[in-house]
Amino acid sequence: DLPPVTKIAHTVDTDLDVFSKLEGSAVALARVVMRHNETWRGEKMQAAGEFDALMRQATGIAKAPYVAEFVRLLLESGESVVLFGWHREVYRIWQERLAEFSPLLYTGTESPTEKANAEAQFKARNRKLLIMSLRSGAGVDGLQKVCRTVVFGELDWAPGVHEQCLGRIDRDGQKDLVMSYYMVSEAGADPIMSEVLG
């Protein structure tokens, strides 16, 4: 029996200029959400969803370079890493910043063949970095034999999603202590999401 997963919330820097670029859109959506007129309920719900998506993506982009540097330290120390995120633009930044490690992608955009190839290369230890979508990878098994380190570069509102992601590494066949790092910004959506997630 292995000890429970070690979960570490790690505060990362944030590029605040990212938020200033979307200020007008965010303010407009917030105004719709804050209206007191009940006849606008559907519009308010839609605006709230758009505001959430906008802030989550901006938060991911703002902290992506700093998340990449943290992951770089892990990779340079010899660790294989599964890095979880959600937005394509965030993946692009990670790929660019970590290009020397030739990151593999397993997200909603790759074909089944491309996903299978990425999974196989990671399991064969041909590459040390696998970028996965928070909601991808149902049925993936075997990562626990080549990796013990998980990094959440972006957060999900549902704690169960994080547990499922961890379950790709912390499962039968894992022989090492699993380390899970949650990269949290003090700006944008992360402070609220962190509080909700506990």
Side-chain angles (χ1 to χ4, degrees):
D1 288 338
L2 289 172
V5 173
T6 300
K7 297 179 181 180
I8 300 169
H10 182 76
T11 303
V12 292
D13 289 332
T14 308
D15 179 359
L16 297 177
D17 289 341
V18 172
F19 297 108
S20 63
K21 291 176 185 171
L22 58 92
E23 189 174 334
S25 300
V27 169
L29 289 169
R31 283 190 179 132
V32 173
V33 172
M34 298 306 291
R35 283 187 193 146
H36 293 293
N37 187 339
E38 287 298 313
T39 60
W40 294 90
R41 181 174 282 158
E43 185 180 353
K44 285 172 132 180
M45 288 176 58
Q46 181 179 349
E50 289 175 24
F51 181 77
D52 172 53
L54 184 69
M55 289 305 296
R56 282 183 65 201
Q57 181 172 3
T59 303
I61 292 169
K63 67 181 180 177
Y66 305 100
V67 170
E69 288 309 307
F70 182 85
V71 170
R72 173 184 303 285
L73 292 173
L74 293 171
L75 293 166
E76 287 175 348
S77 75
E79 292 293 325
S80 291
V81 177
V82 178
L83 173 58
F84 286 100
W86 184 247
H87 295 97
R88 291 293 326 162
E89 182 61 17
V90 174
Y91 301 152
R92 187 195 64 72
I93 295 167
W94 291 342
Q95 286 179 287
E96 183 180 290
R97 298 258 177 167
L98 297 165
E100 68 199 76
F101 299 99
S102 302
L104 298 160
L105 284 175
Y106 194 113
T107 71
T109 305
E110 291 74 40
S111 69
T113 302
E114 290 170 322
K115 289 179 184 177
N117 182 47
E119 181 182 345
Q121 286 194 55
F122 191 70
K123 287 179 185 177
R125 299 178 192 264
N126 294 335
R127 311 261 187 93
K128 296 176 72 72
L129 177 58
L130 177 62
I131 298 172
M132 288 188 87
S133 171
L134 285 161
R135 297 189 179 226
S136 283
V140 171
D141 188 24
L143 302 182
Q144 73 274 19
K145 295 176 181 172
V146 296
C147 181
R148 68 182 193 112
T149 306
V150 174
V151 176
F152 289 97
E154 291 187 273
L155 303 176
D156 194 285
W157 281 108
V161 169
H162 296 127
E163 291 306 313
Q164 286 179 337
C165 292
L166 279 173
R168 309 217 191 301
I169 306 299
D170 184 39
R171 64 191 325 161
D172 288 344
Q174 179 58 260
K175 294 183 175 157
D176 297 308
L177 173 66
V178 175
M179 300 294 292
S180 174
Y181 298 95
Y182 295 81
M183 303 289 98
V184 180
S185 166
E186 292 181 337
D190 278 5
I192 296 166
M193 293 181 79
S194 296
E195 187 174 327
V196 169
L197 293 167

